[in-house]
Amino acid sequence: MNFSALSIRNPVPAILLFVLLTAGGLIAFNRLAIQNFPDMDLPTVQVSAVLEGAAPAQLETEVARKIEDRLASLDRLEHMTTTITDGTVALNVSFELGKDSAEALNEVRNAVDSAAGDLPVGMLTPSVTRKTVQGSALVTYAMRSSSLDETELSWIVDNDVTKALLAVPGVGGVNRIGGVDREVHVDLDPRLMRSIGLSAASVSTQLKSMQTDASGGRADIGGGKQTIRVLGAASSIEDLKTLAIPLPNGVKVRLDEIGTVADSIADRSSIAFLDGKFVIAVEVLRANGFSDTGVAAAVDTAIKRFAATNPEMEIVKATTTIGPIVENYTGSMHMLYEGAILAVVVVWLFLRDWRATLLAAVALPLSVIPTFLVMSLSGFSLNTVTLLSLTLVVGILVDDAIVEIENIARHLRMAKHPTKAALEAANEIGLAVIATTLTLVAVFLPTAFMAGIPGLIFRQFGVTASVAVLASLVVARLLTPMMAAHLMRARAVEEKDGRIMRTYMVFVQTCLRHRKLTFFGVCLFLGLSLLTIPLLKTGFLPASDESQTKVTLTLQPGSTIAQTEATTRRAMGIIGRLPEVTSVFSAIGSASSGDLIDSATIVDTATASLVIDLKKIGDRSRGQAEIEDNIRQALAVLPGVRIEVGNGGNGTTLQITLAGDNPDLLEQAAAALEEQMRTLQGIGAVISSASLQSPEIQIVPDPDRAASLGVTTEAISEAVRVATSGDYSSSLAKLDLSQRQLPIRVRLDPESRKTLADIAGLRVAGARGSVDLGSVASIRVGGSPTQISRLDRSRNVTLSVELNGRILGDVYGEVQALPAARSLPKGVSLVEAGELERSSELFESFGTAMAVGVFCIYAVLVLLFRDFLQPLTILMALPLSLGGALLPLVLTGTSFSMPVVIGLLMLMGVVTKNSILLVEYAIVARRSGLSRFDALVDACHKRVRPIVMTTVAMGCGMLPVALSLSGGDSSFQQPMAIVVIGGLMTSTVLSLVVIPVIFTVVDDFQRLLKRSAKTSSVEQSPA
């Protein structure tokens, strides 16, 4: 059925169709979420187990290994990553993509529950959760007040601010940084406790049993039913002071007689600063599936509303990740507009007809806008990937319309009536237009089914590009001929070839007559193209310039938060003096790391994280990598501090992971490799995850002495724990207030537990009364790892290399060449993880996508041309584009990364368009009676104009992306555009002269096969 003819004769259905699609697309566009990268629903489950005060080495044996063993047998398990710190075990359980997330969560929960009986008695029930929020904060607000003290401000943040923010749709979590937690302290007098034979543990236990309101059953009094409650809890600090504590001899003492009872604060675990001023910060995490900009705007509105009702608080935005996202979105939209305008200008320059130019201008928005409708229905968002796909297909979208318009214009120059010209031209070019579009879809759509993390990112790219291209086909077949029939005018013009056309025709005829020489030239070009492959640099994602960077400071284990604060203040002063820095936000007591896929936050008073906002890209002369190197050098004056500069991941950090079951051999191998890696040229810091030894006080019971006095290890542990830091948080007594409960922490007076002698003097419960700890145990100072990392049930050490602007693949190659990497000890292996693993996935998926794409193109062409050999002529355009695509990467030092892969896949579909136009016309011309030579020459003469027009239009459409004319960070978009433009130009020039020659070779081969088949059939026929 000829849809173009139907549309020309009855334009109403086509008009109504596009009115509906345009209206739906505009509505969907306003509803699309704006994000940085697509949300990824990874089948990843997080397990957290807490045993307060337990050392990492103890937790590894008693908790981590037992949970890992139960998880190891789960179906489609990919990796288990375990991080063990003081008192906490955090497991990240990742499954193969395609595993149902809910099913994965249930399987992990069941496995952890089955291990519960083997876990330590005092451990809380491990939590099993699925990640539903983004790993990094969307926006962070800083709050201060001149009229409220820190305790009051902290409570307002915890209660009121958090409540207001969690009510905003799309907010997945709210965390407070800095501030304090209110707590009741009962600091016991050790001398008095020793004299009356009472331990801190017994006081804590009795306080918990008395400081409670409990159910007492039911009563039937006065003919009615009543509930009975036992109200034993003190309701104020004063009541708590008078609480009676029984002694072993039967005498009672008031709580305030054996210690000090005070309304106090918990030990400070974090501090926040904004530009050197003390603040309490609140970071907001976005839930998956929501718009970054939409949630940020709603949160900003909620904060302004809260600030208006609480004038005593000063609230400012400390840091945000929205700036680069908005900048990228705005820049992409500008590039989309600029590309569209340039493509339309190209049409006018070639045709010099405002009516024809109008048709091309209409085709662009009518192809793009319906795509938004499909994106919305598919749950996609406006992100770097989808916007880039639309930006790069701008030139392609106008291609079909250009081919139709140019062909109609050629018929109009024959003085035909516009309606007749539109009918004949649309019918003549229809197969070529359909073929070119379907080959593009055949390339784009398979990318949606690529495996691994790259597949999740490519899915939105492939579907978006395919829908846009199909929409352009519908426009070209329904709308463009119909509008041309009513708008364009016939004009008889005698066509004369210009100098360029005449030169081209002579060159084509020469190539057709000297096929061997042409083939030699093509082979030489292909050989030179292949020589560029070893020169390519590889990576997963190119390093980005987000106008924001991060510095992580790590002090010696055991450092107090006051020492970390002093070092952080000094670092803030150094960084703040750099001219490109606009603000510095510091979070002491926590450090975050990772990239857009893997991220983690470590809580430790010896660490600090500084988020540094830089001037916009257009307002500074230096790039982010250069500024980060400057920061790294400036902070080198800080003594005894491990410094990491950069956001981590995304082309800025290389992670080398060593794994093994022998901790000593593993650390030796890691130390040797780390030392040699520091000799590499042009890199930043080399950071090892091999944990430093954290100082600890070790108590070793004397078995004989302890047994004779009836003292158990458990009693010693409890006595020491309660006396020094209080009971487990879940076991603490609570003081009930009107809106909250305050923990009551019972322990010895801090001044009386500062020496080993004080520890030795602690009273421990025995069979015949309490005894001094020193009489049943030896006490010494030792050390243990501050953190243990495990990967797939083996210990691992990760060496992180700050690339400092270098390419990931280059540095990794140099690391592999180091003697320490080539001669790892037996039992220690190098494991690809993080970006290395995803980079390998990318190249494997790329190879598969290329093969599937080529096959799909071939299959589509076979179906359309009903021939198995001539489609090979069209496919020969693919290698012709290789040199033009790869050479610019080598010349510019651009890495072969994800955007380049996307560009090459797009190039596969684009370069076949030109060959299809030539081959399709040549086949039609031969069927009309022309010789092969004349048909090819005529095809080149008739098709060179639309081919050049579409190539220039596509190149100009992508030019704003390649030149990054709209500002903002172009690190992801630019490599893709460079590859497409370079390959497109080279392929077009070569295709116009080489494809006709290849056509003749394939045709000769086809004739040979037919002749052989005919001869064989004659020989087999009976005489």
Side-chain angles (χ1 to χ4, degrees), residues 413-456:
R413 288 194 292 270
M414 300 177 188
K416 295 181 181 179
H417 187 275
T419 300
K420 183 180 180 182
L423 285 169
E424 293 180 359
N427 185 58
E428 178 184 289
I429 204 71
L431 180 61
V433 171
I434 294 172
T436 56
T437 301
L438 292 183
T439 54
L440 284 169
V441 175
V443 171
F444 293 148
L445 207 53
T447 63
F449 305 100
M450 288 172 63
I453 299 294
L456 293 179

Side-chain angles (χ1 to χ4, degrees), residues 575-615:
I575 296 171
R577 289 195 289 269
L578 296 178
E580 293 88 355
V581 173
T582 58
S583 71
V584 181
F585 171 73
S586 306
I588 300 171
S590 67
S592 58
S593 61
D595 53 19
L596 69 101
I597 299 167
D598 301 316
S599 60
T601 300
I602 298 173
V603 178
D604 185 358
T605 56
T607 62
S609 182
L610 288 73
V611 179
I612 303 158
D613 287 333
L614 307 175
K615 293 179 180 178

Side-chain angles (χ1 to χ4, degrees), residues 25-103:
L26 292 174
I27 294 171
F29 176 76
N30 292 322
R31 295 180 178 177
L32 285 172
I34 299 174
Q35 299 174 338
N36 189 16
F37 276 90
D39 282 342
M40 302 179 199
D41 185 16
L42 302 175
T44 301
V45 180
Q46 296 167 327
V47 181
S48 178
V50 177
L51 181 61
E52 291 182 47
Q58 174 191 351
L59 289 173
E60 180 184 30
T61 302
E62 297 182 5
V63 180
R65 289 180 183 272
K66 294 179 179 179
I67 295 179
E68 288 174 349
D69 290 342
R70 301 301 176 96
L71 295 171
S73 60
L74 296 183
D75 183 44
R76 301 180 68 182
L77 178 67
E78 187 174 44
H79 290 300
M80 281 188 294
T81 306
T82 308
T83 303
I84 310 170
T85 55
D86 190 22
T88 304
V89 176
L91 288 93
N92 206 54
V93 187
S94 58
F95 293 84
E96 296 175 4
L97 294 179
K99 174 92 172 182
D100 182 71
S101 297
E103 181 184 350

Side-chain angles (χ1 to χ4, degrees), residues 218-234:
R218 289 181 176 275
D220 298 311
I221 300 175
K225 290 183 176 293
Q226 299 86 23
T227 58
I228 301 174
R229 283 198 304 146
V230 179
L231 305 178

Side-chain angles (χ1 to χ4, degrees), residues 131 137 696:
K131 189 175 180 180
E696 67 178 11

Side-chain angles (χ1 to χ4, degrees), residues 417-643:
H417 187 275
T419 300
K420 183 180 180 182
L423 285 169
E424 293 180 359
N427 185 58
E428 178 184 289
I429 204 71
L431 180 61
V433 171
I434 294 172
T436 56
T437 301
L438 292 183
T439 54
L440 284 169
V441 175
V443 171
F444 293 148
L445 207 53
T447 63
F449 305 100
M450 288 172 63
I453 299 294
L456 293 179
I457 298 176
F458 272 95
R459 178 172 177 263
Q460 295 201 14
F461 173 87
V463 173
T464 301
S466 298
V467 171
V469 169
L470 286 173
S472 74
L473 173 64
V474 176
V475 172
R477 299 305 295 152
L478 292 184
L479 210 61
T480 303
M482 180 267 290
M483 293 180 66
H486 292 83
L487 291 179
M488 296 185 73
R489 297 289 181 266
R491 50 176 181 170
V493 179
E494 183 181 353
E495 293 192 47
K496 293 182 179 180
D497 294 339
R499 182 182 302 174
I500 297 177
M501 177 65 80
R502 292 196 300 271
T503 304
Y504 166 66
M505 295 310 300
V506 170
F507 194 66
V508 167
Q509 294 176 34
T510 302
C511 289
L512 285 171
R513 293 189 178 100
H514 301 84
R515 295 190 299 175
K516 292 182 180 180
L517 185 61
T518 303
F519 260 104
F520 175 76
V522 171
C523 292
L524 180 64
F525 176 79
L526 289 177
L528 294 175
S529 300
L530 294 175
L531 290 177
T532 62
I533 294 178
L535 304 177
L536 293 174
K537 306 172 187 296
T538 59
F540 180 63
L541 288 174
S544 58
D545 188 334
E546 298 176 340
S547 299
Q548 186 181 86
T549 188
K550 185 182 296 181
V551 173
T552 301
L553 307 176
T554 305
L555 278 66
Q556 291 288 335
S559 299
T560 65
I561 197 167
Q563 293 170 328
T564 309
E565 178 187 352
T567 302
T568 304
R569 283 183 177 274
R570 188 176 175 190
M572 286 190 294
I574 294 172
I575 296 171
R577 289 195 289 269
L578 296 178
E580 293 88 355
V581 173
T582 58
S583 71
V584 181
F585 171 73
S586 306
I588 300 171
S590 67
S592 58
S593 61
D595 53 19
L596 69 101
I597 299 167
D598 301 316
S599 60
T601 300
I602 298 173
V603 178
D604 185 358
T605 56
T607 62
S609 182
L610 288 73
V611 179
I612 303 158
D613 287 333
L614 307 175
K615 293 179 180 178
K616 291 184 178 181
I617 296 175
D619 297 335
R620 49 186 162 89
S621 58
R622 297 194 298 175
Q624 183 167 315
E626 188 178 351
I627 296 171
E628 288 174 347
D629 188 46
N630 195 181
I631 292 174
R632 196 176 292 115
Q633 295 175 13
L635 294 180
V637 299
L638 299 178
V641 182
R642 178 187 288 177
I643 301 168

Side-chain angles (χ1 to χ4, degrees), residues 200 267 719-726 745-748 753 759 762:
D267 293 340
V720 173
R721 183 183 68 250
V722 176
T724 56
S725 62
R745 191 173 297 277
V746 178
R747 58 186 181 179
L748 294 185
R753 44 187 170 88
I759 303 297
L762 296 177

Side-chain angles (χ1 to χ4, degrees), residues 104-350:
L105 179 65
N106 290 330
E107 289 181 3
V108 172
R109 183 179 287 120
N110 292 337
V112 173
D113 289 344
S114 68
D118 299 329
L119 301 180
V121 176
M123 169 168 280
L124 299 175
T125 303
S127 67
V128 181
T129 58
R130 185 163 64 92
K131 189 175 180 180
T132 58
V133 298
Q134 295 295 294
S136 58
L138 180 69
V139 61
T140 302
Y141 290 92
M143 305 178 185
R144 60 171 72 95
S145 175
S146 57
S147 58
L148 299 173
D149 62 26
E150 188 179 9
T151 305
E152 293 172 327
L153 185 57
S154 299
W155 169 242
I156 291 176
V157 169
D158 288 341
N159 189 56
D160 301 336
V161 176
T162 300
K163 189 184 300 182
L165 291 176
L166 289 176
V168 175
V171 173
V174 178
N175 299 325
R176 190 192 78 202
I177 303 174
V180 292
D181 295 313
R182 190 175 165 193
E183 197 172 76
V184 177
H185 283 177
V186 179
D187 296 330
L188 303 174
D189 185 336
R191 295 176 182 174
L192 184 57
M193 295 288 289
R194 190 179 299 112
S195 66
I196 61 178
L198 202 60
S199 68
S202 61
V203 174
S204 179
T205 301
Q206 292 191 39
L207 185 61
K208 182 182 178 183
S209 64
M210 299 174 64
Q211 183 62 18
T212 182
D213 293 337
S215 169
R218 289 181 176 275
D220 298 311
I221 300 175
K225 290 183 176 293
Q226 299 86 23
T227 58
I228 301 174
R229 283 198 304 146
V230 179
L231 305 178
S235 58
S236 67
I237 299 292
E238 295 303 319
D239 292 341
L240 193 63
K241 291 179 179 179
T242 62
L243 201 63
I245 303 296
L247 302 180
N249 58 8
V251 179
K252 296 179 181 178
V253 295
R254 284 169 40 126
L255 187 59
D256 60 354
E257 291 177 343
I258 57 175
T260 304
V261 182
D263 188 346
S264 186
I265 60 173
D267 293 340
R268 193 184 294 274
S269 60
S270 66
I271 303 173
F273 291 97
L274 178 60
D275 295 330
K277 297 180 180 179
F278 175 82
V279 295
I280 296 177
V282 174
E283 61 178 17
V284 181
L285 305 177
R286 174 180 67 80
N288 290 338
F290 288 85
S291 167
D292 286 323
T293 56
V295 174
V299 166
D300 198 44
T301 301
I303 286 292
K304 288 178 180 178
R305 190 184 305 119
F306 181 85
T309 57
N310 295 269
E312 72 279 6
M313 293 176 59
E314 179 188 351
I315 305 177
V316 296
K317 189 177 294 183
T319 181
T320 179
T321 59
I322 290 299
I325 297 173
V326 173
E327 203 170 64
N328 175 54
Y329 168 74
T330 305
S332 296
M333 295 304 292
H334 285 169
M335 285 189 283
L336 188 63
Y337 303 145
E338 292 164 1
I341 293 171
L342 285 173
V344 171
V345 169
V346 168
V347 175
W348 184 84
L349 289 176
F350 273 89

